[in-house]
Amino acid sequence: MAVEADRPVPPKGGTPVLNVAVDAARSPDGAGGIRRNARLFAVCTAACQTVQRRGHFAEPAQPFPMIRVSLSAGGSVKNREPWVSAFRRDIRSSVRGRATVLTVVVSAVILALALFGAGVVLRGWFSDQNEDLTERTVEATVHAIDRGEWRNPIPVGTDEASMIQVVRPDGRVLAASEELQARPALVVPGGNALINRKVCTHSGVRCMWVYGVRVRDSVYGQDAMVLAASPLPLLTTGWVLSLILAGLWAAVLTLIGWWTWRAIGLALEPVDRIRKEVVEIGKGDLSRRVPVPPTGGHLQRLAEAFNETLAQREEANTRERRFVSDASHDLRNPIAGIQTRLEVALEEPEDYQWRPMVREALNDLQRLSAIVHDLLELSRLDSRAPMPMKQIDLAELARREIARRMPGVAIVPRLESGVIVQANPVRLSRVLNNLLNNAERHADTRIDVLVAREDGQARLEVLDDGSGIPPDARERVFERFSRLAESKKRDPQGTGLGLPIAREIAEIYGGSLTIQDSRKGARFVLLLPLYREPSGDEAR
């Protein structure tokens, strides 16, 4: 962490101000760690003391009641953290780094064991090959000596070692092949009857496999030993092979580490893109979506689930804004009307007939209460608050609600019994009442109510014989607070929320509410899924 302080600059009021800059780029915890550091004040105090010691203050003991402390997460270019340190921190703290280190460590152990075994096998194979060659050469030479042949230089046959010697036990050379003429003995036999080992020069660079057999009685005298040697490849020399295997081990580990780091980086690149997009979404734009990687695995499903959650959150946010807008829009008029009437009443003389004005204010309060009730119901519907459900016979529900209504426009029911749906009875009764209220406002002489089955669904129709709804306005009537001119004329106190509430309830229970064609009047059609008895497997 770097702390820098400027010379104190007294402001216009004369109070000295000390500007202290704390560079978080050289702090292992970054700016967030500095903010969490309880010793930050002590650090700043130490900075002040340092500046004082360097002579920046005219008076070392001068107090500074105003101290400005600035935190820098990035630091200056010259003090920025070296990339090596950043890489080390990334290795220690990130999943990518830990996975790479773990992979390299495990690979290092396995590769070391594999290369060690390969070195042992390689050395053994070369030793076996040279041992067989020298053994064959000694056998052929011994057979020639047994036949009484005396030659110097000793001839070398096909597929035989090129270095052959016949030596005394004290190391004196009696005969040798052409390659070893005038050379000392490969091995001083001493009292050994058999020699079969690797022999190297003092530097260890040149090694050979020597095989020898003692011949008791031959043309070379008593206890002569026949030696044959074959040079081992330089590769089998201890330090050379070890150096090659070590280099191969390091190269393979480097390749494994690089490839693991790169592969995990490519695999986590979609995660980084998602993270960046989430940061942007967190700034308030819920219409954005995270990129979905076409991997077909867990990451793609995670991104899709996240986008679904964002869509739900955006929808909830939109409903909330719409609710606030709707409430402020429709509550303003009755509240303003009540306020105006009360203000006017206060200005009238004491003998003023105030009853009509109070009656009008009461009407406004009743409309205000109806709006608040409908808004609360919409709020519950928007939040999808669960309510208890039961099996409901639509025909029975329609008969009961029709019987409860006040005498007025004639209602003609055509109800098919046994049409069962699963829903909340209070909410379903509200749908039917909203449709009947709307039909009564616009009907001339009659309202038809139909309950029937249709293509595996329950169908409820409410048809009036009024003027009907134009096709281009059939969706607009389901918008909140939307009212057609005729509706405002027939019912000025209406809220414009009855039909939107009815459609919301229908959609909650997997159905729909639409306006369909009819010869006369408006024809509202409610479709709901029929209730099915659960099978034995589903019940279990």
Side-chain angles (χ1 to χ4, degrees):
M1 179 173 62
V3 181
E4 298 178 357
D6 299 332
R7 289 180 177 272
V9 180
K12 294 181 179 180
T15 303
V17 179
L18 176 62
N19 295 315
V20 180
V22 182
D23 186 5
R26 296 171 61 183
S27 172
D29 295 332
I34 292 178
R35 293 188 185 96
R36 293 190 300 268
N37 195 337
R39 296 181 298 173
L40 177 59
F41 185 78
V43 171
C44 296
T45 304
C48 299
Q49 295 172 354
T50 301
V51 176
Q52 287 178 347
R53 286 196 300 268
R54 292 178 181 176
H56 288 294
F57 299 161
E59 299 179 10
Q62 181 180 4
F64 289 92
M66 294 183 64
I67 300 178
R68 294 196 188 108
V69 180
S70 62
L71 298 175
S72 173
S76 60
V77 175
K78 64 181 180 179
N79 293 327
R80 189 164 294 170
E81 185 179 17
W83 70 270
V84 176
S85 301
F87 178 76
R88 289 175 179 173
R89 186 179 66 250
D90 197 16
I91 283 288
R92 292 193 301 268
S93 60
S94 68
V95 175
R96 183 184 185 186
R98 290 194 297 269
T100 302
V101 169
L102 180 62
T103 302
V104 170
V105 170
V106 173
S107 301
V109 174
I110 296 176
L111 188 61
L113 294 176
L115 291 178
F116 177 78
V120 171
V121 171
L122 189 62
R123 286 193 182 98
W125 184 81
F126 279 111
S127 298
D128 292 341
Q129 293 295 317
N130 285 273
E131 183 180 355
D132 292 341
L133 178 62
T134 54
E135 186 176 352
R136 290 197 307 270
T137 303
V138 168
E139 290 178 355
T141 305
V142 169
H143 291 161
I145 293 174
D146 289 341
R147 292 193 298 268
E149 297 179 1
W150 172 283
R151 294 184 183 180
N152 192 17
I154 301 174
V156 178
T158 306
D159 295 333
E160 291 182 357
S162 60
M163 293 183 288
I164 306 173
Q165 284 182 337
V166 179
V167 299
R168 300 285 297 171
D170 56 3
R172 184 164 56 91
V173 179
L174 301 177
S177 60
E178 185 174 357
E179 187 174 342
L180 294 180
Q181 289 292 316
R183 295 286 187 89
L186 297 172
V187 176
V188 178
N192 295 320
L194 177 65
I195 294 176
N196 187 22
R197 67 173 185 270
K198 182 172 72 172
V199 177
C200 297
T201 60
H202 294 294
S203 62
V205 176
R206 185 67 174 173
C207 294
M208 61 187 70
W209 194 268
V210 179
Y211 185 85
V213 175
R214 184 181 296 278
V215 180
R216 294 293 182 184
D217 189 10
S218 67
V219 293
Y220 294 102
Q222 297 289 327
D223 296 328
M225 176 164 282
V226 180
L227 299 175
S230 176
L232 293 172
L234 187 63
L235 184 65
T236 61
T237 302
W239 66 271
V240 175
L241 182 60
S242 299
L243 184 61
I244 293 175
L245 293 179
L248 180 62
W249 179 78
V252 174
L253 282 184
T254 302
L255 180 61
I256 291 175
W258 172 82
W259 180 255
T260 304
W261 179 266
R262 182 176 182 274
I264 296 178
L266 292 176
L268 294 180
E269 185 178 351
V271 178
D272 191 57
R273 290 199 299 266
I274 292 175
R275 180 193 61 79
K276 293 178 180 178
E277 190 64 28
V278 169
V279 171
E280 296 299 323
I281 293 172
K283 296 178 181 178
D285 188 2
L286 294 177
S287 63
R288 303 180 66 162
R289 296 293 180 267
V290 301
V292 179
T295 57
H298 296 285
L299 194 58
Q300 179 177 346
R301 292 194 292 271
L302 175 64
E304 292 172 350
F306 198 88
N307 282 338
E308 291 176 3
T309 303
L310 285 174
Q312 295 172 2
R313 182 67 184 89
E314 181 185 13
E315 183 181 357
N317 194 48
T318 302
R319 286 198 301 264
E320 181 181 352
R321 289 198 304 267
R322 184 174 60 182
F323 174 79
V324 174
S325 175
D326 294 345
S328 62
H329 173 272
D330 220 57
L331 291 176
R332 183 171 56 237
N333 292 335
I335 291 176
I338 295 172
Q339 180 180 355
T340 301
R341 289 183 174 85
L342 293 177
E343 289 174 351
V344 171
L346 289 175
E347 298 296 330
E348 297 294 339
E350 293 182 358
D351 58 347
Y352 180 75
Q353 298 296 325
W354 49 265
R355 285 184 177 275
M357 187 174 295
V358 171
R359 188 174 294 108
E360 292 177 357
L362 182 60
N363 291 335
D364 286 340
L365 280 175
Q366 290 174 348
R367 181 168 183 265
L368 183 62
S369 176
I371 292 174
V372 171
H373 185 268
D374 287 345
L375 286 174
L376 289 175
E377 180 62 22
L378 276 175
S379 176
R380 285 191 290 267
L381 293 174
D382 286 341
S383 65
R384 296 298 189 262
M387 293 188 68
M389 297 191 300
K390 60 185 296 186
Q391 289 77 49
I392 303 172
D393 189 328
L394 278 184
E396 292 296 330
L397 177 69
R399 289 192 189 96
R400 184 170 61 251
E401 296 301 326
I402 292 173
R404 291 177 179 175
R405 303 190 70 80
M406 299 293 292
V409 180
I411 300 178
V412 180
R414 289 179 293 165
L415 310 176
E416 178 183 345
S417 299
V419 181
I420 309 297
V421 297
Q422 187 168 18
N424 180 264
V426 176
R427 284 182 170 176
L428 210 54
S429 297
R430 177 152 194 165
V431 173
L432 181 55
N433 279 313
N434 287 354
L435 295 179
L436 291 174
N437 291 338
N438 181 76
E440 283 182 348
R441 282 193 296 268
H442 299 279
D444 292 335
T445 60
R446 153 180 188 155
I447 299 173
D448 290 294
V449 178
L450 169 69
V451 173
R453 289 185 180 87
E454 182 180 280
D455 299 330
Q457 290 184 310
R459 185 183 184 93
L460 171 65
E461 291 187 12
V462 177
L463 172 64
D464 64 72
D465 60 351
S467 59
I469 300 175
D472 59 346
R474 290 180 178 178
E475 284 299 317
R476 186 153 53 93
V477 298
F478 291 107
E479 297 177 1
R480 301 180 183 190
F481 297 103
S482 176
R483 304 184 68 200
L484 303 181
E486 184 181 354
S487 177
K488 294 178 180 179
K489 180 180 178 181
R490 288 177 177 267
D491 184 15
Q493 300 299 319
T495 64
L497 295 174
L499 293 179
I501 289 175
R503 172 171 274 191
E504 286 283 345
I505 294 175
E507 291 177 351
I508 284 177
Y509 296 114
S512 62
L513 178 60
T514 57
I515 301 175
Q516 298 185 5
D517 295 334
S518 63
R519 288 182 297 177
K520 185 180 180 181
R523 180 186 177 199
F524 287 83
V525 179
L526 171 67
L527 295 177
L528 291 172
L530 282 172
Y531 173 72
R532 293 188 307 114
E533 291 288 344
S535 61
D537 294 339
E538 293 176 350
R540 288 194 291 270

